[in-house]
Each structure stands twice: as structure tokens, then as C-alpha cells.
Amino acid sequence: MYLIYGIQKSGLSIVNYFENKKIKFKMWDDNPIVRKAIKKNYNKDYFFNIKKDNLNDFKKIFVSPGISLRQKKFKRKNISKKVNRDLNLYISNLTNQKIVAITGTNGKSTTTKLIGDILKKNNIKTFVGGNIGESLCNAFLLKKKYKVHVIELSSFQLETVKSLDSRISVITNLSGDHLDRYKGISDYVSQKKNIITKNGINLLSIDDIYSRKIFNQKKIKNKISFSLVDKSADCFANNNYILDNYFKKNKKLFIKKISKDLEGNFNIQNILIAYICSKILKIPESNFLKVIKTFKGLPFRSSTIFTNNKLKIVNNSKSTNLNSTINSVVNYNNIYLILGGIAKEKNFEILLKYKNKISCVYTYGKSGNFIEKKLKKELVVKKLVNLKSVIKETFKDIKKNSNQSTILFAPACASYDQYKNFEERGIHFNKLIKNYIN
């Protein structure tokens, strides 16, 4: 008998998989609202109330990535060995599929979709999912037979695996994130490192100290370095070309046109990773170039939702850490920057390096006071209660400015104080903006 603990998106995919395979299981979610919604569609006998002393009855416990494994009930020796994530079940069901596995702090979702689009353009049956789109276990429920799986993996999903037998494993970049769930940055990085493949090829950035340190480890074989700053890397890129010293020495591939959804310095790395994967998987360069011209990005990832000669509005609700916010800030000037939610990091002073780009900062939510205190000595900071009041204040301020302004919603915080997730936060931002631009 198996237990599924946490029955939202990834948990439900396991429920459906077990039902389909006629595997006996029980399930539970601590949220009564979730349980009530699920009970409408599933047998009531499936539900099992978790207590400290009754987890021993199960052969394996599949815990949602949203639930921390640092809880005491998972720490007991006889229980810890049983704990799995959806990734463990996914791995156990793989047969001959080629896996492209992607993790990192920022850019992994866009990179995942971009690689998936390139493979589909080449008429390769491709499953794209994991931490975005379809949950991992849905790959075995859908009727299509996929040749390649392109999967985004979070640090939480990687916690219960020691290595991944993928064709390609990618670490986009590493910086502080989810530190509320880990002992520190080293702990977080060690979970990300579980994506490293022994038999496939590892693609590793050398632009941040944590990724570079992993790349330099001698025990990691079959690796390709990529960089946006170091031309000695195996593959290097800047705004208009890729320098390939891995597949063909000193080869330059000029990129004449890219989609608006791939504009910005932070997207150059995504394009570079997609290029390397295309070469490994023997995708024609023409298909690679076609896709980056027409690529449709995921919502709420530095999406320009309005622009004219006086105002640009950018929705980067996906920005849940400081590094992601900085990657947005560097692309604009005269910024009216919106920050807020639940801060995962303390070093908001790092934004002061870019104070010449920022006209005003608006903070809201649980960490609004904290962020204000960190920035108010050198920046104009206005603290408000919620996003609605922030938008109202922002539009008052930009009317006083005759130069082109950019409203940048890049919260640098988790959304859970006022929203279910960053998607709900992003949708609300767009709705609020419509009241001012129509």
C-alpha cells in the first residue's frame, strides 16, 4: 500500500497513475479545502488522515514537492527511507525515452519550453513537463508515445534522488532561493546537483560561483561549459552570435532575429542552452533558428503587457528571488519597481547597485516593511498594503514624469501571503493594469 501526501497537481497525477494501474493507495492533504474538492471525484475510501504513528503502514510515501521533508514525521529512520517525490515514480517507469532534464535558479522554465518547441518543430514526439505544464507522471497516462522528455525539475523534486540517468542534464545557474526550506545555500546547491548524469552529458554554466564549482569537479564527466561572459567556455553567447568551441572550433552562429518573448539579457542563456541541446540531439540549425524567431514565452516571465512611447509595463510575477529581479532591472531605465510578498532572502541592498535605473520602489505584503527599511536610505520607497494600492500609486507618480517610464513588476518574493502562486499574482496584476490603460 502506498500513500500520496499532498494531492494538488503532482499528487493528483500520481493518484491517476495508481488508479490506471490498479495499484492500492491512500491519499491525504492537510488543506481541508483541497480534500473537499477532491472528494467529489474520488472514492472516499482513498482518504487517510496522517498521524505521527501511522506512517509505518505504507511501503512508500509520495510527498508533494510543496511539502518540506524537514518535518519531524519524515525524519524518523523507519520513515525517511520510504519518502519519495513524484520524480522517483517517474524514473522507475522510464523505458527508452531520451531525457533532457533542466534545473537551476532562474530561466529553467523558459529553457524547458524552448527546447521542447525546437524538438516538436523537428517532428519529434516530445513530452514537456515536470515543474511546468504537465506533471511528470502524466507522461505515462497520455496516449502519445514520446521519444524525448524535456523536464523541468525543482530542488524539491531532486531531494530524493542521487543521480539521474538522463541523456542531457542542465543546470542553468545557481543563486540563493528557497532558503526558507534549506539550511543554507550549500544545502540548496547540493539538491540541485542531484540532476547530474553519469552516462549522459552535463551542461553547466560557469558564470556563477556555485555552478562553476560543480563544473570544476573532476568526478563529473561528459560536461559542456557555457557562458555569457567567458569566451573560453565550450559555448559562449552574446546579443547576436553564439561562439561554439565544442562541436566545431571557433564556429560563429549569427542570430539575426529573435522573438520578442526572448528579448533581454536574461534570455541569452536560455537560447545558448537550447542551441547546445539541439546540437547534441542532432536538430538542424535551421529549425533552431526558426523557433527562436517565433517562440511564444510562458506568461509572467518578464512579459511586456503594454508599451507605447511614454510607458512600458512588464509583468515578471515569476520573479520570486532577487537574482531574477536584477536580471529584469538591468534591461530597463526610469523604473518604477514593484516588490513584495514573502522575502526568501535578506540582502535587498544589492538592488542599490542599480539605483540609477530606479525612479521609485513600491513595497507591499508581508515583507513590505523589511524591504522598505533595506532600501529607503538611497531610493524613494513607498510602502503600501496590497497590489491594488501599489498600482494606483504608481500611475499617480508616472503622470509626473515626462520621460518614458517602465513599470516593472518583479516582486523578488514568494506570493503565498496574498496569492496561491505566482500565476494568480500575475493574473491579478494584469487585471489591475487594465483599469488604467484602456
Side-chain angles (χ1 to χ4, degrees):
M1 178 78 72
Y2 298 103
L3 173 66
I4 302 163
Y5 184 20
I7 46 176
Q8 296 191 50
K9 190 176 178 182
S10 64
L12 277 180
S13 71
I14 299 176
V15 168
N16 293 332
Y17 176 81
F18 282 166
E19 275 200 323
N20 183 264
K21 300 294 183 181
K22 296 182 180 179
I23 296 170
K24 291 182 179 181
F25 69 94
K26 295 285 186 179
M27 62 180 173
W28 181 254
D29 198 290
D30 292 332
N31 189 331
I33 297 172
V34 172
R35 295 198 305 270
K36 186 177 179 180
I38 298 302
K39 282 180 178 178
K40 295 176 182 178
N41 300 314
Y42 293 93
N43 191 322
K44 291 180 180 179
D45 292 338
Y46 288 157
F47 288 84
F48 179 88
N49 195 344
I50 289 182
K51 297 175 184 177
K52 287 184 179 180
D53 59 352
N54 63 8
L55 294 177
N56 286 318
D57 300 335
F58 299 98
K59 184 178 179 181
K60 288 183 180 179
I61 304 166
F62 291 94
V63 183
S64 165
I67 298 172
S68 173
L69 299 184
R70 303 195 183 276
Q71 295 180 32
K72 287 184 179 179
K73 58 175 159 278
F74 301 130
K75 291 282 189 177
R76 291 158 56 192
K77 286 184 180 180
N78 57 330
I79 300 299
S80 62
K81 293 178 182 179
K82 300 180 179 184
V83 172
N84 291 264
R85 297 293 199 194
D86 61 340
L87 180 58
N88 299 92
L89 183 61
Y90 169 84
I91 291 170
S92 69
N93 281 277
L94 290 172
T95 51
N96 297 317
Q97 299 92 346
K98 291 180 181 177
I99 309 300
V100 181
I102 300 153
T103 197
T105 302
N106 295 306
K108 55 188 179 293
S109 297
T110 298
T111 302
T112 301
K113 185 177 186 298
L114 181 55
I115 294 168
D117 286 1
I118 291 167
L119 290 167
K120 290 174 184 177
K121 181 71 176 177
N122 210 53
N123 296 318
I124 296 171
K125 291 181 179 178
T126 306
F127 172 81
V128 179
N131 201 39
I132 62 164
E134 296 282 353
S135 296
L136 288 173
C137 293
N138 286 354
F140 310 112
L141 290 174
L142 302 172
K143 292 181 180 179
K144 293 182 181 178
K145 290 186 177 180
Y146 301 102
K147 290 186 176 180
V148 180
H149 291 192
V150 184
I151 57 173
E152 177 193 331
L153 300 175
S154 69
S155 58
F156 307 137
Q157 288 171 301
L158 288 162
E159 287 172 341
T160 55
V161 299
K162 294 305 176 187
S163 65
L164 193 63
D165 191 19
S166 55
R167 177 72 179 91
I168 303 171
S169 281
V170 181
I171 297 179
T172 59
N173 51 70
L174 293 170
S175 59
D177 198 12
H178 301 304
L179 299 186
D180 53 327
R181 289 269 294 264
Y182 294 108
K183 295 175 183 177
I185 185 69
S186 295
D187 187 13
Y188 168 70
V189 169
S190 70
Q191 307 308 325
K192 291 289 194 182
K193 190 180 168 185
N194 287 336
I195 202 170
I196 295 296
T197 175
K198 293 179 181 178
N199 299 315
I201 300 175
N202 295 291
L203 276 53
L204 299 164
S205 170
I206 55 171
D207 288 348
D208 65 84
I209 57 173
Y210 307 109
S211 301
R212 181 185 282 269
K213 189 175 180 180
I214 294 172
F215 180 81
N216 287 335
Q217 291 180 7
K218 291 181 180 180
K219 64 180 181 180
I220 298 175
K221 309 297 182 183
N222 303 325
K223 51 194 174 183
I224 300 174
S225 64
F226 58 86
S227 176
L228 307 184
V229 296
D230 187 346
K231 286 189 175 182
S232 70
D234 294 319
C235 292
F236 166 85
N238 70 8
N239 283 320
N240 60 1
Y241 73 88
I242 291 170
L243 177 62
D244 182 351
N245 271 309
Y246 184 85
F247 299 97
K248 189 176 181 180
K249 193 173 181 180
N250 285 324
K251 177 190 174 180
K252 269 191 179 181
L253 176 66
F254 288 93
I255 300 172
K256 296 178 181 178
K257 187 177 179 182
I258 63 169
S259 159
K260 288 184 178 180
D261 287 355
L262 286 173
E263 290 177 351
N265 292 335
F266 49 88
N267 275 314
I268 297 173
Q269 187 185 75
N270 303 330
I271 294 169
L272 180 57
I273 294 168
Y275 166 80
I276 299 169
C277 289
S278 297
K279 296 296 287 185
I280 294 169
L281 297 171
K282 302 188 185 306
I283 304 298
E285 281 181 7
S286 58
N287 283 350
F288 163 75
L289 292 169
K290 283 177 185 176
V291 173
I292 63 172
K293 283 181 186 177
T294 59
F295 179 73
K296 298 294 182 184
L298 294 160
F300 318 129
R301 291 157 172 88
S302 291
S303 306
T304 299
I305 61 172
F306 177 82
T307 186
N308 62 22
N309 60 348
K310 290 186 177 181
L311 177 65
K312 178 174 280 191
I313 304 174
V314 179
N315 185 342
N316 190 14
S317 180
K318 181 63 171 69
S319 169
T320 60
N321 59 69
L322 275 165
N323 194 54
S324 177
T325 298
I326 290 167
N327 284 340
S328 288
V329 167
V330 296
N331 292 288
Y332 309 105
N333 291 299
N334 196 19
I335 299 169
Y336 291 78
L337 178 62
I338 303 171
L339 304 170
I342 304 173
K344 302 175 184 177
E345 302 154 274
K346 295 181 179 179
N347 59 325
F348 275 77
E349 301 96 327
I350 195 170
L351 288 169
L352 297 175
K353 292 181 180 179
Y354 310 92
K355 62 184 180 181
N356 293 334
K357 287 178 162 286
I358 301 170
S359 298
C360 187
V361 175
Y362 306 84
T363 71
Y364 74 96
K366 187 173 181 179
S367 296
N369 282 331
F370 170 78
I371 299 168
E372 180 195 26
K373 288 177 183 177
K374 292 284 186 177
L375 301 177
K376 66 181 182 180
K377 287 184 180 179
E378 297 185 46
L379 283 167
V380 177
V381 183
K382 297 186 178 184
K383 183 182 71 66
L384 297 115
V385 177
N386 54 34
L387 200 51
K388 184 177 181 180
S389 57
V390 165
I391 300 300
K392 184 178 180 180
E393 188 68 19
T394 306
F395 273 89
K396 278 185 186 178
D397 291 343
I398 61 172
K399 285 180 181 178
K400 304 170 189 175
N401 197 321
S402 58
N403 297 321
Q404 187 183 49
S405 306
T406 298
I407 297 175
L408 176 57
F409 182 44
C413 295
S415 59
Y416 306 123
D417 58 336
Q418 296 182 359
Y419 301 95
K420 289 180 182 177
N421 47 47
F422 78 86
E423 290 97 342
E424 185 179 79
R425 179 170 68 182
I427 290 167
H428 189 217
F429 177 81
N430 285 354
K431 284 182 178 178
L432 292 170
I433 291 296
K434 282 183 180 179
N435 295 327
Y436 294 88
I437 60 175
N438 286 342

